[in-house]
Amino acid sequence: MSKIAEIKSSFEAEVKSCVKISEVQDMKVKYLGKSGELTALLKEIKNLPSEERPVFGAKVNELRNFIENELQEKLFKVKELEMQEKLQNEKIDVSLTSVKPWGALHPITLVENEICNLMIAMGFEVASGPEIETDYYNFQALNIPEDHPARDMQDTFYITDIILLRTHTSPMQARLMEKKQPPIKMICPGKVFRSDSDASHSPVFHQIEGLVVDKNVTLRDLKGTLEYIASHLFGSNTKVRFRPSFFPFTEPSVEVDLTCSNCGGKGCSLCKGTGWIEVLGAGMVNPYVLENSGIDSGKYNGYAFGMGVERIAIIKYGIPDIRLFYENDKRFLKQFVK
């Protein structure tokens, strides 16, 4: 019994001094291992008188339970201390430096948001469609069959013979008219893709498509809508001019010019002395487009327009090269922070 008390006393003194996980593990081997102190005690049972063996065995087991509990508790405390020490030694100062991070909305986003807010205020709903389109919705549903020469003007990125990157946001017109009967007032902002790149063209750019379908819609309604947009984007004195044009999906079709925002229509280098700047294409929805989408062209008609957001931003801000929008030069982008 004196040996049991001696081992317990020795263990209590040693366990208090443990400060590492490895030290706790070493103590477990020393006292509870195959060649440990308690194992040696148990081997002595055979040398005791038979009447003393049960009491001795119970005391050894009691000591074993005590040591196991103490080691488990000590191991938990040591692990916690090591973790705190590790966190302290490996901590990283993530506080802000004296240079503050910078960020703001891109000018393309600013213009797109401004136009969308104007249209929403006029009762238009905002719709979105897939950027990877089918040939049917991108061309055929919009009265551009396979052999139509207008396809040559699109500079299309084809994925397969019938799958492509949309060349305009107009496919959403057909998709919406298939699902919804008039009256319809919608706009579709989004990215479009064409194989073209220079100072005034980009292979990826942004459009906003507008569509109105109802009874007794006229070109005057179209012009009134565009005048409202132009006056808010470029000033109340901005005038809108229609010139005859051709688009397969509208009939009649018009090119839309605005008085130059730089010179007010007097003539300058920006407008090449004409006083007018071509901004977008528009027209009355071709009856074939309505019929392709399941709308009775004898009962309903409508107008559509499509504008390039980059084009509007270039005119609005006087930007000479469309590529400036995509270079992520902070010196350029910071000019648009309000």
Side-chain angles (χ1 to χ4, degrees), residues 172-234:
M172 195 56 206
Q173 289 186 26
R175 288 183 175 274
L176 186 65
M177 288 190 291
E178 281 183 350
K179 298 178 181 179
K180 183 178 181 179
Q181 286 293 307
I184 295 172
K185 290 180 72 175
M186 77 92 178
I187 56 171
C188 179
K191 292 179 183 177
V192 296
F193 309 85
R194 296 185 187 180
S195 181
D196 198 2
S197 181
D198 55 40
S200 57
H201 298 87
S202 171
V204 182
F205 58 104
H206 300 75
Q207 274 191 350
I208 295 180
E209 187 82 15
L211 172 71
V212 171
V213 180
D214 206 342
K215 295 178 180 179
N216 304 316
V217 179
T218 69
L219 274 174
R220 289 190 300 176
D221 298 317
L222 170 61
K223 190 173 184 182
T225 298
L226 296 179
E227 285 177 339
Y228 176 83
I229 297 172
S231 65
H232 281 76
L233 289 176
F234 303 108

Side-chain angles (χ1 to χ4, degrees), residues 4 8 73 97 100 118 122 143 152 160 177 212 226 234 240 247 256 261 282-283 328:
I4 292 175
K8 184 177 180 181
E73 185 177 343
T97 64
K100 295 182 179 180
L118 287 173
M122 296 173 67
N143 196 38
D152 297 335
T160 69
M177 288 190 291
V212 171
L226 296 179
F234 303 108
V240 175
F247 303 110
V256 181
S261 58
N328 292 323

Side-chain angles (χ1 to χ4, degrees), residues 6-21:
E6 182 183 333
I7 292 174
K8 184 177 180 181
S9 177
S10 174
F11 169 79
E12 288 177 328
E14 286 187 50
V15 78
K16 289 180 181 179
S17 63
C18 290
V19 293
K20 295 181 180 180
I21 294 175

Side-chain angles (χ1 to χ4, degrees), residues 116-134:
C116 286
N117 289 337
L118 287 173
M119 304 306 294
I120 291 170
M122 296 173 67
F124 284 74
E125 65 174 306
V126 179
S128 60
E131 295 177 0
I132 299 177
E133 258 301 359
T134 64

Side-chain angles (χ1 to χ4, degrees), residues 143 219 245-254 282-287 302:
N143 196 38
L219 274 174
S245 186
F246 169 77
F247 303 110
F249 31 82
T250 52
E251 180 59 39
S253 303
V254 294
M284 303 301 293
V285 179
N286 194 307

Side-chain angles (χ1 to χ4, degrees), residues 15-219:
V15 78
K16 289 180 181 179
S17 63
C18 290
V19 293
K20 295 181 180 180
I21 294 175
S22 60
E23 292 176 349
V24 177
Q25 292 172 339
D26 289 343
M27 283 197 65
K28 184 176 182 180
V29 173
K30 178 179 178 180
Y31 288 93
L32 303 178
K34 291 182 179 181
S35 302
E37 299 279 357
L38 291 190
T39 304
L41 275 181
L42 290 173
K43 291 179 180 179
E44 295 295 327
I45 290 180
K46 65 180 185 294
N47 299 324
L48 296 175
S50 57
E51 65 274 11
E52 295 181 10
R53 290 176 186 176
V55 178
F56 182 78
K59 288 293 184 180
V60 172
N61 284 331
E62 183 182 330
L63 179 58
R64 174 183 288 276
N65 292 334
F66 171 78
I67 291 175
E68 286 178 346
N69 291 335
E70 289 292 313
L71 287 175
Q72 186 175 359
E73 185 177 343
K74 188 64 175 182
L75 184 63
F76 176 80
K77 292 180 179 179
V78 169
K79 283 183 177 180
E80 185 68 21
L81 288 172
E82 286 197 2
M83 177 59 70
Q84 293 300 325
E85 184 180 355
K86 185 176 182 181
L87 291 174
Q88 184 66 27
N89 294 334
E90 297 180 3
K91 71 177 183 179
I92 300 174
D93 185 3
V94 294
S95 59
L96 292 176
T97 64
S98 58
V99 179
K100 295 182 179 180
W102 177 85
L105 289 178
H106 193 277
I108 296 300
T109 304
L110 291 172
V111 172
E112 185 175 288
N113 289 349
E114 185 175 1
I115 296 172
C116 286
N117 289 337
L118 287 173
M119 304 306 294
I120 291 170
M122 296 173 67
F124 284 74
E125 65 174 306
V126 179
S128 60
E131 295 177 0
I132 299 177
E133 258 301 359
T134 64
D135 181 272
Y136 173 78
Y137 285 111
N138 197 81
F139 291 124
Q140 297 177 47
L142 300 174
N143 196 38
I144 311 177
E146 292 184 6
D147 58 349
H148 201 289
R151 291 195 179 217
D152 297 335
M153 302 165 59
Q154 298 290 322
D155 299 317
T156 308
F157 289 107
Y158 279 95
I159 300 173
T160 69
D161 290 341
I162 60 172
I163 304 296
L164 49 88
L165 300 182
R166 67 181 181 186
T167 59
H168 43 194
T169 51
S170 302
M172 195 56 206
Q173 289 186 26
R175 288 183 175 274
L176 186 65
M177 288 190 291
E178 281 183 350
K179 298 178 181 179
K180 183 178 181 179
Q181 286 293 307
I184 295 172
K185 290 180 72 175
M186 77 92 178
I187 56 171
C188 179
K191 292 179 183 177
V192 296
F193 309 85
R194 296 185 187 180
S195 181
D196 198 2
S197 181
D198 55 40
S200 57
H201 298 87
S202 171
V204 182
F205 58 104
H206 300 75
Q207 274 191 350
I208 295 180
E209 187 82 15
L211 172 71
V212 171
V213 180
D214 206 342
K215 295 178 180 179
N216 304 316
V217 179
T218 69
L219 274 174

